[in-house]
Amino acid sequence: MSEGLVQRRNAANSSSQWSHSASGSGWSTVGQTSEEQFVTSSMPVVSSRSDWYNANYDDADNFDDAKLARLTLMEEVLLLGLKDREGYTSFWNDSISSGLRGAILVELALRGRVSLEPCGLRSRPQLQMRKLVCVGANGQAPVGDALLDEALRHIRDMQPPETVPNWIEYLSGETWNPLKLRYQLRNVRERLAKSLVEKSVCGTEKQNFVLFDMTTHPLVDSEAKQRVLRKVQDCVLSRWQLDPQRIDRRCLALLYLAHASDVLENAFAPLPDEEYDLATKRSKALLQLDFDAEADKSGACPVLWAVAQAFVK
């Protein structure tokens, strides 16, 4: 993992249509309510767990479900890394593989399938020492996504449970323990790209690279990628909150995972210089938080903070 958050590319287009207005250098706190009030007021009346998930999956975007495909965190991270015309990620990016595995763990946590083991009454172990476990009956039920179901099955079968940093290594295949290689998730990028094709976000082409042919997935629905870009930008600009617990969980997770996958620059590069500097400053502030303290706060998602801490070095 390279040091620092991002470095500005010289080719950034300062007049991009994705730029947003930032209110000077101040942090917006107008109209804020507590997290409990926000959740209570925004939670719709539903009849089943699947209905609740469909209603809250991407609540921050407030899109019409009938018209727009819902993207998982993994797909959004990959979409940020994919080159629009070429349809593949940078050959020099060696971080996106582990970043996508971290996104899988956060996605399972946000769907209520996994969490960190509770702290004892006398001892409160560090975030990186707490084990990842399935959550009751939810942890036994399939998610409906092949990639997530495979990861959930591995977590459920692991005895004794392992920590989040270990799971990122196991799912990535970056472990020296040969007994743990069976937990590796293979062809994650290819499987996610096919999912984007099925959702009509990307297409499929064959490209020749002299020595070999490679299947690529160029962007088809540019609006879908713009929505992801705006989500990341708004998280640190127009929707910025002083308290990280007030930031939409999925937006906050996407910001950390984009940093872990070394694709955050792709979201900030189109911004004008002033907004770019502000977004970078606030992103660095999020990376310098006390993750253990944030995970202990009421209503927090401990897995999200454990994954963030695993990548922030």
Side-chain angles (χ1 to χ4, degrees), residues 180-193:
K180 305 297 184 181
L181 290 177
R182 63 190 181 95
Y183 296 112
Q184 180 182 3
L185 295 179
R186 302 181 183 276
N187 304 319
V188 169
R189 264 180 278 190
E190 291 76 5
R191 294 162 70 177
L192 290 174

Side-chain angles (χ1 to χ4, degrees), residues 284-306:
K284 289 181 178 179
L286 290 175
L287 297 175
Q288 296 171 357
L289 292 173
D290 185 342
F291 298 109
D292 288 275
E294 296 297 331
D296 287 337
K297 292 182 179 180
S298 176
C301 178
V303 175
L304 189 163
W305 296 107

Side-chain angles (χ1 to χ4, degrees), residues 114-290:
V114 300
S115 184
L116 298 184
E117 61 181 357
C119 297
L121 296 178
R122 295 186 178 181
S123 62
R124 304 187 68 82
Q126 295 182 350
L127 196 59
Q128 298 297 289
M129 300 301 295
R130 295 168 63 181
K131 310 296 185 181
L132 186 69
V133 295
C134 294
V135 180
N138 286 358
Q140 306 298 322
V143 179
D145 180 280
L147 196 58
L148 294 175
D149 284 336
E150 183 178 350
L152 182 60
R153 184 170 61 254
H154 289 329
I155 297 172
R156 186 170 56 243
D157 295 342
M158 174 68 76
Q159 295 298 331
E162 289 284 357
T163 62
V164 165
N166 285 344
W167 268 118
I168 294 175
E169 293 180 357
Y170 297 158
L171 297 178
S172 305
E174 300 175 355
T175 175
W176 293 101
N177 189 342
L179 299 178
K180 305 297 184 181
L181 290 177
R182 63 190 181 95
Y183 296 112
Q184 180 182 3
L185 295 179
R186 302 181 183 276
N187 304 319
V188 169
R189 264 180 278 190
E190 291 76 5
R191 294 162 70 177
L192 290 174
K194 289 181 179 179
S195 179
L196 290 174
V197 172
E198 293 174 355
K199 295 179 179 180
S200 301
V201 176
C202 295
T204 302
E205 293 181 358
K206 285 281 188 180
Q207 289 196 21
N208 180 269
F209 289 87
V210 182
L211 298 178
F212 61 93
D213 291 334
M214 186 175 74
T215 301
T216 61
H217 302 279
L219 186 66
V220 173
D221 185 0
S222 59
E223 179 61 26
K225 184 165 185 176
Q226 290 182 32
R227 290 196 297 269
V228 178
L229 290 170
R230 286 196 296 265
K231 181 187 295 187
V232 178
Q233 295 168 359
D234 289 346
C235 183
V236 291
L237 292 176
S238 61
R239 293 181 179 176
W240 174 252
Q241 306 286 341
L242 281 173
D243 184 2
Q245 300 296 334
R246 297 188 178 206
I247 301 177
D248 178 80
R249 286 183 177 181
R250 298 192 69 85
C251 294
L252 184 64
L254 181 58
L255 187 68
Y256 279 118
L257 293 168
H259 164 73
S261 303
D262 199 18
V263 297
L264 188 57
E265 166 67 12
N266 297 347
F268 289 166
L271 293 171
D273 291 342
E274 182 178 353
E275 294 182 3
Y276 177 90
D277 294 339
L278 182 61
T280 302
K281 176 183 177 181
R282 290 176 173 176
S283 299
K284 289 181 178 179
L286 290 175
L287 297 175
Q288 296 171 357
L289 292 173
D290 185 342

